[in-house]
Amino acid sequence: MNKINSQKSYISFENKIFVAGHNGMVGSSICRKLEAEGYKNILKINKASLDLRNSNEVEDWFKQNKPDIVINAAGKVGGILSNIKYPADFLLDNLKIQNNLIESSMKSKVKRFLFIATSSIYPKNINGLIKEEDLMSSNLEETNEYYSIAKIAGIKLCDAFRRQFDFDAITVIPANLYGIGDKYHEEDSHVLPSLIRKFYLAKTQNLKVVDCWGTGSPIREFLYVDDLSESCLFLLEKWKPLSGKRNFINVGVGNGISIKELSEIIAKEFKFEGQIEWDLSKPDGMRKKVLNVEKINSLGWRSKIPIEIGIRKSIKDFDERFSS
C-alpha cells in the first residue's frame, strides 16, 4: 500500500525548491501554487543561464545552489505533427534533461524529487480506463513513441535510483494538460489549444468552415494545469510510496470526451456557427486515452476544475496573450 502522512509534510516551507522549466505551462502553474501556499524559497533558472541538456552545467549548478526539493517540469513537448517531424529531438532532448536532473539530484542528496511524465507512456490499445499497472504491457502509439520512450526511461531511472540508492523520487502521470500558459502554435501545440486557435481565427476572420484533424472520434481526458499543480504539491507533502511499490501515480479527472465533442464545446464558446470538417487524411493518434485515477482519489485528492470552466479560462488566457 501507499502511505499518506496526514500529520506532517514530507517537505517544509524552509526547503529550497528548484522548479525546472518554471517558464512553461506546468512549471509556471506549479510556481503559482507553491507561492500561494506559502513556499517562498523557489529556485528558478532561465535557459540562457543553464542548459539542462549539458550534464556538466547541471552538476555545477546543483553544487552551487544545493536545492532540497526538485520538480522536473522541463522538457521538449509538442503535438502530433511535431512529434512525427522531430523524433530524434523529442527522444534525445528529453533523455538528456531528465537524466541530468535526476542524477544530479541524487548525487546532491536532494530530499525529494518529483518527475512529471505523460499519459502517452501507456499502450495504445487499452479499451478501459488505464491503470498504472498497464505500463509497458503492449505497444505504444506510433505518432509519439519517441517522446513516450524518453518519459518511460525517466520513470524507470527514478525507480532504479530509489531501489539502489534509496533516492526519494516520485512520478506523476497526468492526463492531457491544458490551461494558462499553453502553446497555441499552428504545428507545435496539442489538440485543445490547437482547436482554440482554429476557432478564434475562424471567428475573427468570418470563416464558414473549420478544418480539424482526423475523424473526431478519439476519446481523450483533459486535466486543467492548476489541478495538476495542486496534485503535485499534495503528493510532495503527503505521499510516501512503500518500499518495493510503484512510485508513479496517475493524475486526471477519470473520464473523457471525444475530440468531436471537444471541438463543439470550443465552437460554442466562440459562438462559431459554421461547419466543422474532419480531415480523414490526418492521424487520430490513440483511439482512447482515459486514466484510472482510483489510487490518487483513495489518497484524498480529486480534480476540481470542469472542462467547460477550464476551456473558458484558457480562451481568456489566449485572448490576453495573442488577440491584441
Side-chain angles (χ1 to χ4, degrees), residues 233-269:
L233 183 55
F234 172 84
L235 293 168
L236 278 170
E237 290 180 336
K238 303 297 182 183
W239 185 48
K240 190 82 165 181
L242 298 181
S243 178
K245 300 295 182 180
R246 290 182 180 86
N247 64 330
F248 58 92
I249 192 165
N250 290 343
V251 178
V253 298
N255 56 71
I257 65 171
S258 71
I259 302 303
K260 181 177 184 294
E261 291 173 299
L262 177 67
S263 68
E264 290 169 350
I265 292 172
I266 295 173
K268 184 178 179 181
E269 288 297 324

PDB file of all heavy atoms in Angstrom, residues 233-269:
ATOM      1  N   LEU A 233       1.735  19.209  -5.396  1.00  0.00           N
ATOM      2  CA  LEU A 233       2.049  19.645  -4.041  1.00  0.00           C
ATOM      3  C   LEU A 233       1.463  18.675  -3.020  1.00  0.00           C
ATOM      4  O   LEU A 233       2.114  18.341  -2.015  1.00  0.00           O
ATOM      5  CB  LEU A 233       1.527  21.062  -3.803  1.00  0.00           C
ATOM      6  CG  LEU A 233       1.852  21.667  -2.432  1.00  0.00           C
ATOM      7  CD1 LEU A 233       3.355  21.637  -2.161  1.00  0.00           C
ATOM      8  CD2 LEU A 233       1.320  23.088  -2.334  1.00  0.00           C
ATOM      9  N   PHE A 234       0.260  18.194  -3.267  1.00  0.00           N
ATOM     10  CA  PHE A 234      -0.366  17.209  -2.386  1.00  0.00           C
ATOM     11  C   PHE A 234       0.519  15.975  -2.247  1.00  0.00           C
ATOM     12  O   PHE A 234       0.767  15.490  -1.131  1.00  0.00           O
ATOM     13  CB  PHE A 234      -1.736  16.824  -2.956  1.00  0.00           C
ATOM     14  CG  PHE A 234      -2.406  15.680  -2.245  1.00  0.00           C
ATOM     15  CD1 PHE A 234      -3.140  15.892  -1.091  1.00  0.00           C
ATOM     16  CD2 PHE A 234      -2.316  14.383  -2.743  1.00  0.00           C
ATOM     17  CE1 PHE A 234      -3.762  14.829  -0.438  1.00  0.00           C
ATOM     18  CE2 PHE A 234      -2.927  13.321  -2.102  1.00  0.00           C
ATOM     19  CZ  PHE A 234      -3.652  13.541  -0.943  1.00  0.00           C
ATOM     20  N   LEU A 235       1.018  15.463  -3.365  1.00  0.00           N
ATOM     21  CA  LEU A 235       1.840  14.258  -3.334  1.00  0.00           C
ATOM     22  C   LEU A 235       3.205  14.516  -2.701  1.00  0.00           C
ATOM     23  O   LEU A 235       3.725  13.684  -1.948  1.00  0.00           O
ATOM     24  CB  LEU A 235       1.989  13.694  -4.743  1.00  0.00           C
ATOM     25  CG  LEU A 235       0.696  13.156  -5.367  1.00  0.00           C
ATOM     26  CD1 LEU A 235       0.877  12.892  -6.853  1.00  0.00           C
ATOM     27  CD2 LEU A 235       0.239  11.883  -4.660  1.00  0.00           C
ATOM     28  N   LEU A 236       3.806  15.668  -3.005  1.00  0.00           N
ATOM     29  CA  LEU A 236       5.091  16.004  -2.390  1.00  0.00           C
ATOM     30  C   LEU A 236       4.968  16.084  -0.875  1.00  0.00           C
ATOM     31  O   LEU A 236       5.854  15.628  -0.134  1.00  0.00           O
ATOM     32  CB  LEU A 236       5.603  17.340  -2.927  1.00  0.00           C
ATOM     33  CG  LEU A 236       6.332  17.314  -4.271  1.00  0.00           C
ATOM     34  CD1 LEU A 236       6.546  18.737  -4.783  1.00  0.00           C
ATOM     35  CD2 LEU A 236       7.664  16.578  -4.171  1.00  0.00           C
ATOM     36  N   GLU A 237       3.892  16.640  -0.411  1.00  0.00           N
ATOM     37  CA  GLU A 237       3.711  16.830   1.028  1.00  0.00           C
ATOM     38  C   GLU A 237       3.306  15.546   1.745  1.00  0.00           C
ATOM     39  O   GLU A 237       3.748  15.291   2.867  1.00  0.00           O
ATOM     40  CB  GLU A 237       2.639  17.893   1.293  1.00  0.00           C
ATOM     41  CG  GLU A 237       3.066  19.307   0.933  1.00  0.00           C
ATOM     42  CD  GLU A 237       1.972  20.323   1.202  1.00  0.00           C
ATOM     43  OE1 GLU A 237       0.771  19.945   1.219  1.00  0.00           O
ATOM     44  OE2 GLU A 237       2.309  21.502   1.395  1.00  0.00           O
ATOM     45  N   LYS A 238       2.488  14.713   1.084  1.00  0.00           N
ATOM     46  CA  LYS A 238       1.799  13.654   1.829  1.00  0.00           C
ATOM     47  C   LYS A 238       2.087  12.219   1.410  1.00  0.00           C
ATOM     48  O   LYS A 238       1.835  11.291   2.178  1.00  0.00           O
ATOM     49  CB  LYS A 238       0.275  13.873   1.721  1.00  0.00           C
ATOM     50  CG  LYS A 238      -0.214  15.227   2.217  1.00  0.00           C
ATOM     51  CD  LYS A 238       0.057  15.403   3.705  1.00  0.00           C
ATOM     52  CE  LYS A 238      -0.471  16.731   4.229  1.00  0.00           C
ATOM     53  NZ  LYS A 238      -0.146  16.919   5.654  1.00  0.00           N
ATOM     54  N   TRP A 239       2.595  12.000   0.180  1.00  0.00           N
ATOM     55  CA  TRP A 239       2.666  10.633  -0.343  1.00  0.00           C
ATOM     56  C   TRP A 239       4.072  10.060  -0.220  1.00  0.00           C
ATOM     57  O   TRP A 239       5.034  10.651  -0.700  1.00  0.00           O
ATOM     58  CB  TRP A 239       2.234  10.618  -1.806  1.00  0.00           C
ATOM     59  CG  TRP A 239       2.151   9.245  -2.412  1.00  0.00           C
ATOM     60  CD1 TRP A 239       1.547   8.145  -1.892  1.00  0.00           C
ATOM     61  CD2 TRP A 239       2.679   8.835  -3.686  1.00  0.00           C
ATOM     62  NE1 TRP A 239       1.642   7.082  -2.760  1.00  0.00           N
ATOM     63  CE2 TRP A 239       2.336   7.477  -3.862  1.00  0.00           C
ATOM     64  CE3 TRP A 239       3.385   9.496  -4.699  1.00  0.00           C
ATOM     65  CZ2 TRP A 239       2.684   6.760  -5.002  1.00  0.00           C
ATOM     66  CZ3 TRP A 239       3.737   8.782  -5.830  1.00  0.00           C
ATOM     67  CH2 TRP A 239       3.398   7.425  -5.984  1.00  0.00           C
ATOM     68  N   LYS A 240       4.154   8.894   0.390  1.00  0.00           N
ATOM     69  CA  LYS A 240       5.432   8.186   0.508  1.00  0.00           C
ATOM     70  C   LYS A 240       5.214   6.750   0.047  1.00  0.00           C
ATOM     71  O   LYS A 240       4.683   5.920   0.805  1.00  0.00           O
ATOM     72  CB  LYS A 240       5.908   8.210   1.963  1.00  0.00           C
ATOM     73  CG  LYS A 240       7.328   7.720   2.167  1.00  0.00           C
ATOM     74  CD  LYS A 240       8.331   8.793   1.867  1.00  0.00           C
ATOM     75  CE  LYS A 240       9.706   8.429   2.406  1.00  0.00           C
ATOM     76  NZ  LYS A 240      10.697   9.473   2.151  1.00  0.00           N
ATOM     77  N   PRO A 241       5.587   6.403  -1.189  1.00  0.00           N
ATOM     78  CA  PRO A 241       5.422   5.012  -1.630  1.00  0.00           C
ATOM     79  C   PRO A 241       6.211   4.063  -0.742  1.00  0.00           C
ATOM     80  O   PRO A 241       7.352   4.351  -0.359  1.00  0.00           O
ATOM     81  CB  PRO A 241       5.989   5.024  -3.051  1.00  0.00           C
ATOM     82  CG  PRO A 241       5.981   6.454  -3.468  1.00  0.00           C
ATOM     83  CD  PRO A 241       6.209   7.236  -2.222  1.00  0.00           C
ATOM     84  N   LEU A 242       5.613   2.948  -0.384  1.00  0.00           N
ATOM     85  CA  LEU A 242       6.298   1.976   0.440  1.00  0.00           C
ATOM     86  C   LEU A 242       7.350   1.238  -0.379  1.00  0.00           C
ATOM     87  O   LEU A 242       7.275   1.163  -1.594  1.00  0.00           O
ATOM     88  CB  LEU A 242       5.302   0.985   1.033  1.00  0.00           C
ATOM     89  CG  LEU A 242       4.245   1.582   1.966  1.00  0.00           C
ATOM     90  CD1 LEU A 242       3.337   0.483   2.500  1.00  0.00           C
ATOM     91  CD2 LEU A 242       4.901   2.344   3.111  1.00  0.00           C
ATOM     92  N   SER A 243       8.331   0.704   0.295  1.00  0.00           N
ATOM     93  CA  SER A 243       9.434   0.010  -0.365  1.00  0.00           C
ATOM     94  C   SER A 243       8.909  -1.118  -1.244  1.00  0.00           C
ATOM     95  O   SER A 243       8.074  -1.924  -0.829  1.00  0.00           O
ATOM     96  CB  SER A 243      10.386  -0.555   0.692  1.00  0.00           C
ATOM     97  OG  SER A 243      11.433  -1.281   0.083  1.00  0.00           O
ATOM     98  N   GLY A 244       9.406  -1.148  -2.487  1.00  0.00           N
ATOM     99  CA  GLY A 244       9.013  -2.191  -3.422  1.00  0.00           C
ATOM    100  C   GLY A 244       7.737  -1.917  -4.184  1.00  0.00           C
ATOM    101  O   GLY A 244       7.372  -2.671  -5.086  1.00  0.00           O
ATOM    102  N   LYS A 245       7.028  -0.834  -3.822  1.00  0.00           N
ATOM    103  CA  LYS A 245       5.789  -0.484  -4.507  1.00  0.00           C
ATOM    104  C   LYS A 245       6.061   0.543  -5.602  1.00  0.00           C
ATOM    105  O   LYS A 245       7.089   1.210  -5.615  1.00  0.00           O
ATOM    106  CB  LYS A 245       4.768   0.072  -3.515  1.00  0.00           C
ATOM    107  CG  LYS A 245       4.394  -0.888  -2.398  1.00  0.00           C
ATOM    108  CD  LYS A 245       3.687  -2.117  -2.943  1.00  0.00           C
ATOM    109  CE  LYS A 245       3.281  -3.054  -1.822  1.00  0.00           C
ATOM    110  NZ  LYS A 245       2.594  -4.274  -2.347  1.00  0.00           N
ATOM    111  N   ARG A 246       5.110   0.690  -6.516  1.00  0.00           N
ATOM    112  CA  ARG A 246       5.261   1.659  -7.603  1.00  0.00           C
ATOM    113  C   ARG A 246       5.377   3.076  -7.055  1.00  0.00           C
ATOM    114  O   ARG A 246       4.622   3.468  -6.171  1.00  0.00           O
ATOM    115  CB  ARG A 246       4.082   1.578  -8.563  1.00  0.00           C
ATOM    116  CG  ARG A 246       4.060   0.306  -9.400  1.00  0.00           C
ATOM    117  CD  ARG A 246       2.889   0.327 -10.373  1.00  0.00           C
ATOM    118  NE  ARG A 246       2.870  -0.900 -11.176  1.00  0.00           N
ATOM    119  CZ  ARG A 246       2.301  -2.026 -10.795  1.00  0.00           C
ATOM    120  NH1 ARG A 246       1.701  -2.086  -9.620  1.00  0.00           N
ATOM    121  NH2 ARG A 246       2.335  -3.094 -11.579  1.00  0.00           N
ATOM    122  N   ASN A 247       6.315   3.826  -7.630  1.00  0.00           N
ATOM    123  CA  ASN A 247       6.485   5.219  -7.194  1.00  0.00           C
ATOM    124  C   ASN A 247       5.942   6.189  -8.230  1.00  0.00           C
ATOM    125  O   ASN A 247       6.341   7.342  -8.284  1.00  0.00           O
ATOM    126  CB  ASN A 247       7.961   5.512  -6.911  1.00  0.00           C
ATOM    127  CG  ASN A 247       8.825   5.411  -8.152  1.00  0.00           C
ATOM    128  OD1 ASN A 247       8.541   4.648  -9.070  1.00  0.00           O
ATOM    129  ND2 ASN A 247       9.901   6.195  -8.182  1.00  0.00           N
ATOM    130  N   PHE A 248       5.016   5.719  -9.076  1.00  0.00           N
ATOM    131  CA  PHE A 248       4.360   6.614 -10.030  1.00  0.00           C
ATOM    132  C   PHE A 248       2.847   6.451  -9.903  1.00  0.00           C
ATOM    133  O   PHE A 248       2.342   5.385  -9.531  1.00  0.00           O
ATOM    134  CB  PHE A 248       4.830   6.363 -11.468  1.00  0.00           C
ATOM    135  CG  PHE A 248       4.615   4.957 -11.978  1.00  0.00           C
ATOM    136  CD1 PHE A 248       3.456   4.624 -12.665  1.00  0.00           C
ATOM    137  CD2 PHE A 248       5.593   3.989 -11.795  1.00  0.00           C
ATOM    138  CE1 PHE A 248       3.263   3.344 -13.151  1.00  0.00           C
ATOM    139  CE2 PHE A 248       5.410   2.704 -12.275  1.00  0.00           C
ATOM    140  CZ  PHE A 248       4.237   2.370 -12.956  1.00  0.00           C
ATOM    141  N   ILE A 249       2.125   7.554 -10.222  1.00  0.00           N
ATOM    142  CA  ILE A 249       0.688   7.568  -9.968  1.00  0.00           C
ATOM    143  C   ILE A 249      -0.025   8.426 -11.010  1.00  0.00           C
ATOM    144  O   ILE A 249       0.488   9.468 -11.431  1.00  0.00           O
ATOM    145  CB  ILE A 249       0.414   8.087  -8.532  1.00  0.00           C
ATOM    146  CG1 ILE A 249      -1.038   7.849  -8.117  1.00  0.00           C
ATOM    147  CG2 ILE A 249       0.799   9.557  -8.388  1.00  0.00           C
ATOM    148  CD1 ILE A 249      -1.258   8.014  -6.610  1.00  0.00           C
ATOM    149  N   ASN A 250      -1.185   7.962 -11.458  1.00  0.00           N
ATOM    150  CA  ASN A 250      -1.988   8.701 -12.431  1.00  0.00           C
ATOM    151  C   ASN A 250      -2.658   9.908 -11.787  1.00  0.00           C
ATOM    152  O   ASN A 250      -3.119   9.838 -10.639  1.00  0.00           O
ATOM    153  CB  ASN A 250      -3.089   7.803 -13.016  1.00  0.00           C
ATOM    154  CG  ASN A 250      -2.566   6.726 -13.932  1.00  0.00           C
ATOM    155  OD1 ASN A 250      -1.434   6.798 -14.413  1.00  0.00           O
ATOM    156  ND2 ASN A 250      -3.389   5.722 -14.194  1.00  0.00           N
ATOM    157  N   VAL A 251      -2.732  11.000 -12.561  1.00  0.00           N
ATOM    158  CA  VAL A 251      -3.454  12.193 -12.120  1.00  0.00           C
ATOM    159  C   VAL A 251      -4.371  12.626 -13.260  1.00  0.00           C
ATOM    160  O   VAL A 251      -3.905  12.927 -14.359  1.00  0.00           O
ATOM    161  CB  VAL A 251      -2.493  13.347 -11.758  1.00  0.00           C
ATOM    162  CG1 VAL A 251      -3.287  14.586 -11.364  1.00  0.00           C
ATOM    163  CG2 VAL A 251      -1.558  12.928 -10.624  1.00  0.00           C
ATOM    164  N   GLY A 252      -5.657  12.653 -12.985  1.00  0.00           N
ATOM    165  CA  GLY A 252      -6.607  13.047 -14.017  1.00  0.00           C
ATOM    166  C   GLY A 252      -7.987  13.244 -13.445  1.00  0.00           C
ATOM    167  O   GLY A 252      -8.171  13.305 -12.222  1.00  0.00           O
ATOM    168  N   VAL A 253      -8.976  13.322 -14.333  1.00  0.00           N
ATOM    169  CA  VAL A 253     -10.361  13.513 -13.900  1.00  0.00           C
ATOM    170  C   VAL A 253     -11.140  12.206 -13.920  1.00  0.00           C
ATOM    171  O   VAL A 253     -12.217  12.101 -13.335  1.00  0.00           O
ATOM    172  CB  VAL A 253     -11.075  14.572 -14.773  1.00  0.00           C
ATOM    173  CG1 VAL A 253     -10.390  15.908 -14.650  1.00  0.00           C
ATOM    174  CG2 VAL A 253     -11.124  14.134 -16.235  1.00  0.00           C
ATOM    175  N   GLY A 254     -10.606  11.197 -14.636  1.00  0.00           N
ATOM    176  CA  GLY A 254     -11.223   9.880 -14.623  1.00  0.00           C
ATOM    177  C   GLY A 254     -12.295   9.656 -15.674  1.00  0.00           C
ATOM    178  O   GLY A 254     -12.921   8.602 -15.707  1.00  0.00           O
ATOM    179  N   ASN A 255     -12.507  10.636 -16.554  1.00  0.00           N
ATOM    180  CA  ASN A 255     -13.459  10.446 -17.653  1.00  0.00           C
ATOM    181  C   ASN A 255     -12.986  11.263 -18.853  1.00  0.00           C
ATOM    182  O   ASN A 255     -12.188  12.190 -18.711  1.00  0.00           O
ATOM    183  CB  ASN A 255     -14.876  10.852 -17.252  1.00  0.00           C
ATOM    184  CG  ASN A 255     -14.950  12.273 -16.744  1.00  0.00           C
ATOM    185  OD1 ASN A 255     -14.823  13.228 -17.499  1.00  0.00           O
ATOM    186  ND2 ASN A 255     -15.157  12.434 -15.437  1.00  0.00           N
ATOM    187  N   GLY A 256     -13.488  10.911 -20.035  1.00  0.00           N
ATOM    188  CA  GLY A 256     -13.029  11.581 -21.250  1.00  0.00           C
ATOM    189  C   GLY A 256     -14.175  12.019 -22.136  1.00  0.00           C
ATOM    190  O   GLY A 256     -15.335  11.681 -21.891  1.00  0.00           O
ATOM    191  N   ILE A 257     -13.828  12.773 -23.170  1.00  0.00           N
ATOM    192  CA  ILE A 257     -14.787  13.177 -24.186  1.00  0.00           C
ATOM    193  C   ILE A 257     -14.131  12.978 -25.548  1.00  0.00           C
ATOM    194  O   ILE A 257     -12.902  12.916 -25.652  1.00  0.00           O
ATOM    195  CB  ILE A 257     -15.244  14.646 -24.025  1.00  0.00           C
ATOM    196  CG1 ILE A 257     -14.064  15.614 -24.240  1.00  0.00           C
ATOM    197  CG2 ILE A 257     -15.891  14.879 -22.676  1.00  0.00           C
ATOM    198  CD1 ILE A 257     -14.496  17.066 -24.300  1.00  0.00           C
ATOM    199  N   SER A 258     -14.955  12.889 -26.585  1.00  0.00           N
ATOM    200  CA  SER A 258     -14.399  12.742 -27.928  1.00  0.00           C
ATOM    201  C   SER A 258     -13.843  14.084 -28.403  1.00  0.00           C
ATOM    202  O   SER A 258     -14.254  15.154 -27.924  1.00  0.00           O
ATOM    203  CB  SER A 258     -15.470  12.245 -28.901  1.00  0.00           C
ATOM    204  OG  SER A 258     -16.422  13.264 -29.158  1.00  0.00           O
ATOM    205  N   ILE A 259     -12.935  14.020 -29.355  1.00  0.00           N
ATOM    206  CA  ILE A 259     -12.401  15.249 -29.938  1.00  0.00           C
ATOM    207  C   ILE A 259     -13.520  16.026 -30.636  1.00  0.00           C
ATOM    208  O   ILE A 259     -13.521  17.261 -30.649  1.00  0.00           O
ATOM    209  CB  ILE A 259     -11.264  14.924 -30.930  1.00  0.00           C
ATOM    210  CG1 ILE A 259     -10.144  14.146 -30.226  1.00  0.00           C
ATOM    211  CG2 ILE A 259     -10.707  16.204 -31.553  1.00  0.00           C
ATOM    212  CD1 ILE A 259      -9.553  14.855 -29.033  1.00  0.00           C
ATOM    213  N   LYS A 260     -14.483  15.319 -31.187  1.00  0.00           N
ATOM    214  CA  LYS A 260     -15.632  15.982 -31.808  1.00  0.00           C
ATOM    215  C   LYS A 260     -16.422  16.778 -30.767  1.00  0.00           C
ATOM    216  O   LYS A 260     -16.768  17.949 -30.989  1.00  0.00           O
ATOM    217  CB  LYS A 260     -16.542  14.943 -32.465  1.00  0.00           C
ATOM    218  CG  LYS A 260     -17.757  15.537 -33.172  1.00  0.00           C
ATOM    219  CD  LYS A 260     -18.557  14.435 -33.868  1.00  0.00           C
ATOM    220  CE  LYS A 260     -19.716  15.024 -34.670  1.00  0.00           C
ATOM    221  NZ  LYS A 260     -20.731  15.652 -33.808  1.00  0.00           N
ATOM    222  N   GLU A 261     -16.680  16.170 -29.614  1.00  0.00           N
ATOM    223  CA  GLU A 261     -17.384  16.882 -28.543  1.00  0.00           C
ATOM    224  C   GLU A 261     -16.580  18.084 -28.060  1.00  0.00           C
ATOM    225  O   GLU A 261     -17.131  19.163 -27.790  1.00  0.00           O
ATOM    226  CB  GLU A 261     -17.657  15.943 -27.378  1.00  0.00           C
ATOM    227  CG  GLU A 261     -18.664  14.856 -27.655  1.00  0.00           C
ATOM    228  CD  GLU A 261     -18.763  13.869 -26.512  1.00  0.00           C
ATOM    229  OE1 GLU A 261     -17.741  13.223 -26.190  1.00  0.00           O
ATOM    230  OE2 GLU A 261     -19.865  13.739 -25.938  1.00  0.00           O
ATOM    231  N   LEU A 262     -15.261  17.889 -27.948  1.00  0.00           N
ATOM    232  CA  LEU A 262     -14.388  18.985 -27.520  1.00  0.00           C
ATOM    233  C   LEU A 262     -14.475  20.155 -28.493  1.00  0.00           C
ATOM    234  O   LEU A 262     -14.590  21.314 -28.076  1.00  0.00           O
ATOM    235  CB  LEU A 262     -12.941  18.485 -27.425  1.00  0.00           C
ATOM    236  CG  LEU A 262     -11.895  19.535 -27.046  1.00  0.00           C
ATOM    237  CD1 LEU A 262     -12.099  20.009 -25.615  1.00  0.00           C
ATOM    238  CD2 LEU A 262     -10.487  18.971 -27.240  1.00  0.00           C
ATOM    239  N   SER A 263     -14.419  19.860 -29.789  1.00  0.00           N
ATOM    240  CA  SER A 263     -14.494  20.927 -30.793  1.00  0.00           C
ATOM    241  C   SER A 263     -15.821  21.667 -30.708  1.00  0.00           C
ATOM    242  O   SER A 263     -15.874  22.890 -30.896  1.00  0.00           O
ATOM    243  CB  SER A 263     -14.291  20.348 -32.197  1.00  0.00           C
ATOM    244  OG  SER A 263     -15.379  19.519 -32.568  1.00  0.00           O
ATOM    245  N   GLU A 264     -16.891  20.951 -30.404  1.00  0.00           N
ATOM    246  CA  GLU A 264     -18.205  21.587 -30.296  1.00  0.00           C
ATOM    247  C   GLU A 264     -18.302  22.501 -29.081  1.00  0.00           C
ATOM    248  O   GLU A 264     -18.931  23.568 -29.141  1.00  0.00           O
ATOM    249  CB  GLU A 264     -19.288  20.511 -30.259  1.00  0.00           C
ATOM    250  CG  GLU A 264     -19.452  19.787 -31.595  1.00  0.00           C
ATOM    251  CD  GLU A 264     -20.335  18.560 -31.500  1.00  0.00           C
ATOM    252  OE1 GLU A 264     -20.681  18.157 -30.359  1.00  0.00           O
ATOM    253  OE2 GLU A 264     -20.679  17.988 -32.559  1.00  0.00           O
ATOM    254  N   ILE A 265     -17.671  22.097 -27.971  1.00  0.00           N
ATOM    255  CA  ILE A 265     -17.643  22.951 -26.777  1.00  0.00           C
ATOM    256  C   ILE A 265     -16.893  24.249 -27.073  1.00  0.00           C
ATOM    257  O   ILE A 265     -17.351  25.349 -26.733  1.00  0.00           O
ATOM    258  CB  ILE A 265     -16.980  22.216 -25.594  1.00  0.00           C
ATOM    259  CG1 ILE A 265     -17.857  21.054 -25.125  1.00  0.00           C
ATOM    260  CG2 ILE A 265     -16.728  23.180 -24.428  1.00  0.00           C
ATOM    261  CD1 ILE A 265     -17.184  20.171 -24.085  1.00  0.00           C
ATOM    262  N   ILE A 266     -15.732  24.132 -27.729  1.00  0.00           N
ATOM    263  CA  ILE A 266     -14.926  25.314 -28.036  1.00  0.00           C
ATOM    264  C   ILE A 266     -15.634  26.198 -29.056  1.00  0.00           C
ATOM    265  O   ILE A 266     -15.646  27.424 -28.938  1.00  0.00           O
ATOM    266  CB  ILE A 266     -13.528  24.892 -28.526  1.00  0.00           C
ATOM    267  CG1 ILE A 266     -12.774  24.173 -27.391  1.00  0.00           C
ATOM    268  CG2 ILE A 266     -12.730  26.105 -29.013  1.00  0.00           C
ATOM    269  CD1 ILE A 266     -11.464  23.569 -27.810  1.00  0.00           C
ATOM    270  N   ALA A 267     -16.255  25.574 -30.072  1.00  0.00           N
ATOM    271  CA  ALA A 267     -17.013  26.349 -31.067  1.00  0.00           C
ATOM    272  C   ALA A 267     -18.128  27.141 -30.397  1.00  0.00           C
ATOM    273  O   ALA A 267     -18.366  28.313 -30.726  1.00  0.00           O
ATOM    274  CB  ALA A 267     -17.597  25.402 -32.119  1.00  0.00           C
ATOM    275  N   LYS A 268     -18.798  26.524 -29.440  1.00  0.00           N
ATOM    276  CA  LYS A 268     -19.880  27.203 -28.720  1.00  0.00           C
ATOM    277  C   LYS A 268     -19.360  28.387 -27.929  1.00  0.00           C
ATOM    278  O   LYS A 268     -20.000  29.449 -27.881  1.00  0.00           O
ATOM    279  CB  LYS A 268     -20.578  26.208 -27.797  1.00  0.00           C
ATOM    280  CG  LYS A 268     -21.781  26.781 -27.065  1.00  0.00           C
ATOM    281  CD  LYS A 268     -22.456  25.721 -26.211  1.00  0.00           C
ATOM    282  CE  LYS A 268     -23.643  26.301 -25.453  1.00  0.00           C
ATOM    283  NZ  LYS A 268     -24.303  25.275 -24.600  1.00  0.00           N
ATOM    284  N   GLU A 269     -18.191  28.235 -27.290  1.00  0.00           N
ATOM    285  CA  GLU A 269     -17.603  29.335 -26.513  1.00  0.00           C
ATOM    286  C   GLU A 269     -17.287  30.532 -27.412  1.00  0.00           C
ATOM    287  O   GLU A 269     -17.392  31.681 -26.991  1.00  0.00           O
ATOM    288  CB  GLU A 269     -16.336  28.861 -25.789  1.00  0.00           C
ATOM    289  CG  GLU A 269     -16.591  27.931 -24.621  1.00  0.00           C
ATOM    290  CD  GLU A 269     -17.377  28.586 -23.508  1.00  0.00           C
ATOM    291  OE1 GLU A 269     -17.164  29.796 -23.251  1.00  0.00           O
ATOM    292  OE2 GLU A 269     -18.224  27.909 -22.893  1.00  0.00           O
TER     293      GLU A 269
END
